[in-house]
C-alpha cells in the first residue's frame, strides 16, 4: 500500500477501527478488506522505522495455518511505515478463561500449531517473543507479531518451547497449581521444558478425570480443585 503523504495516510487511518497499541506499533482494522493495518510507533514519533520491504516480507512465502505473516508493506513514498496482516477473529489466549475451553478442540489446535512449528523449524526460522502473542478461536491458534523472528538453524524441540510454556501456563497457573504440585508425574511434566504442552495436557486431563470420576471435557468440570494465588506467573485479562 502506497501513500503520497502523511496527510493521505492519516486520512485513511481515520476511517478504520482502532484495535490497540503495542511495543512496535498501532493496529487498525479495515473491515472492507478484513485486514489489520499496523503502523510502526516510529511513524507517530516522526522517526524512521528503518525496515525494508524485503525484511518485512521475508517469511511470507512459507505457507502454514498458524503463523500470521505480513501480506503487504505500507509506504509513504519510499519510506516503510507499517504493514498489513490478515485479520483473525480470535482472542489473545491470556484474555480467555481456561475453565470454559473445550479440551478436545484445544488438543487439536495444539497439534496443528506444533505441526506448523515443525514447518518453520525445517525452514530455519527461529521463533521469538511468542508469549502473549498467541490468539485462539474455534479450535485454532494464531501466532502474531512475528517481526522479530530470525533466520537461523534451530531444532523443532527448541523452537516449540515458547509455545509449550504459554499453553502450560494457560491451563494451570493460578488455577490448578496445587493439584499439579501434589502429583509427582504432573509436576515433573509441568516444570520440565523438554515435555511438550500437548503431552502435559493429555496427562493432566487423565489425572483430573480420575480424581473427579468422569471424563473432563472442560476444566470447569474440575472447578472444585481451583485454588487462587497471589503469586501467579501468567498475566490474565478477562
Amino acid at each position: 500500500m502506497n501513500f503520497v503523504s502523511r496527510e493521505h495516510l492519516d486520512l485513511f487511518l481515520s476511517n478504520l477501527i482502532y484495535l490497540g497499541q503495542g511495543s512496535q506499533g498501532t493496529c487498525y482494522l479495515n473491515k472492507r478488506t478484513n485486514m489489520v493495518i499496523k503502523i510502526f510507533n516510529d511513524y507517530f514519533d516522526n522517526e524512521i522505522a528503518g525496515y525494508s520491504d524485503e525484511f518485512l516480507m521475508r517469511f511470507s512465502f512459507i505457507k502454514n495455518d498458524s503463523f500470521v505473516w505480513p501480506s503487504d508493506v505500507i509506504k509513504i513514498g519510499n519510506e516503510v511505515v507499517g504493514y498489513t496482516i490478515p485479520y483473525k477473529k480470535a482472542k489473545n489466549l491470556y484474555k480467555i478463561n481456561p475453565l470454559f475451553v473445550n479440551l478436545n478442540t484445544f488438543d487439536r489446535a495444539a497439534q496443528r500449531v506444533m505441526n506448523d512449528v515443525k514447518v518453520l523449524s525445517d525452514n530455519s526460522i527461529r521463533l521469538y517473543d511468542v508469549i502473549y502473542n498467541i490468539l485462539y478461536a474455534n479450535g485454532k491458534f494464531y501466532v502474531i507479531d512475528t517481526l522479530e523472528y530470525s533466520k537461523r538453524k534451530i531444532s523443532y524441540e527448541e523452537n516449540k518451547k515458547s509455545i509449550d510454556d504459554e499453553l502450560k501456563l494457560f491451563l494451570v497457573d493460578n488455577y490448578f497449581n496445587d493439584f499439579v504440585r501434589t502429583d509427582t508425574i504432573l509436576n515433573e511434566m509441568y516444570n520440565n521444558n523438554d515435555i511438550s504442552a500437548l503431552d502435559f495436557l493429555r496427562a493432566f486431563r487423565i489425572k483430573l478425570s480420575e480424581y473427579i470420576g468422569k471424563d473432563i471435557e472442560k476444566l470447569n468440570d474440575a472447578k472444585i480443585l481451583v485454588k487462587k494465588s497471589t503469586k501467579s506467573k501468567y498475566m490474565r485479562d478477562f
Side-chain angles (χ1 to χ4, degrees), residues 49 62 69 74 108 191 196 208 217 234:
I62 299 174
W69 307 124
I74 301 172
R108 290 194 292 271
N191 291 293
S196 73
L208 287 175
E217 292 189 2
Y234 186 53

Side-chain angles (χ1 to χ4, degrees), residues 191-206:
N191 291 293
N192 188 334
N193 290 332
D194 293 327
I195 302 297
S196 73
L198 194 54
D199 288 340
F200 172 77
L201 166 61
R202 291 169 179 174
F204 181 46
R205 183 175 179 179
I206 289 171

Side-chain angles (χ1 to χ4, degrees), residues 95-231:
K95 294 185 177 182
I96 297 173
N97 189 329
L99 296 181
F100 300 107
V101 170
N102 184 289
L103 297 179
N104 292 319
T105 54
F106 196 86
D107 186 299
R108 290 194 292 271
Q111 292 180 60
R112 290 191 189 99
V113 73
M114 291 308 177
N115 288 339
D116 286 335
V117 172
K118 181 68 165 57
V119 172
L120 269 60
S121 303
D122 289 345
N123 281 274
S124 299
I125 298 174
R126 179 187 182 275
L127 277 59
Y128 181 79
D129 196 25
V130 173
I131 192 166
Y132 301 119
N133 284 317
I134 301 177
L135 310 183
Y136 180 72
N138 302 319
K140 288 186 178 181
F141 289 118
Y142 302 103
V143 187
I144 58 172
D145 284 353
T146 60
L147 195 61
E148 300 301 323
Y149 291 12
S150 61
K151 182 74 173 176
R152 76 171 178 84
K153 192 171 182 59
I154 188 169
S155 69
Y156 164 69
E157 289 73 23
E158 184 181 356
N159 228 3
K160 71 184 184 67
K161 285 181 181 179
S162 54
I163 292 180
D164 282 330
D165 287 347
E166 182 161 7
L167 298 193
K168 287 182 181 181
L169 287 169
F170 172 76
L171 292 167
V172 173
D173 192 59
N174 206 23
Y175 282 81
F176 296 98
N177 301 77
D178 283 358
F179 181 78
V180 169
R181 193 179 298 115
T182 56
D183 186 287
T184 303
I185 295 175
L186 284 184
N187 192 52
E188 169 64 19
M189 296 182 75
Y190 182 65
N191 291 293
N192 188 334
N193 290 332
D194 293 327
I195 302 297
S196 73
L198 194 54
D199 288 340
F200 172 77
L201 166 61
R202 291 169 179 174
F204 181 46
R205 183 175 179 179
I206 289 171
K207 293 287 187 176
L208 287 175
S209 299
E210 289 174 349
Y211 187 94
I212 298 299
K214 67 173 185 178
D215 183 42
I216 299 297
E217 292 189 2
K218 295 182 179 180
L219 294 178
N220 194 52
D221 296 334
K223 63 182 178 182
I224 63 169
L225 297 173
V226 171
K227 290 186 179 180
K228 294 289 187 175
S229 170
T230 57
K231 298 180 180 179

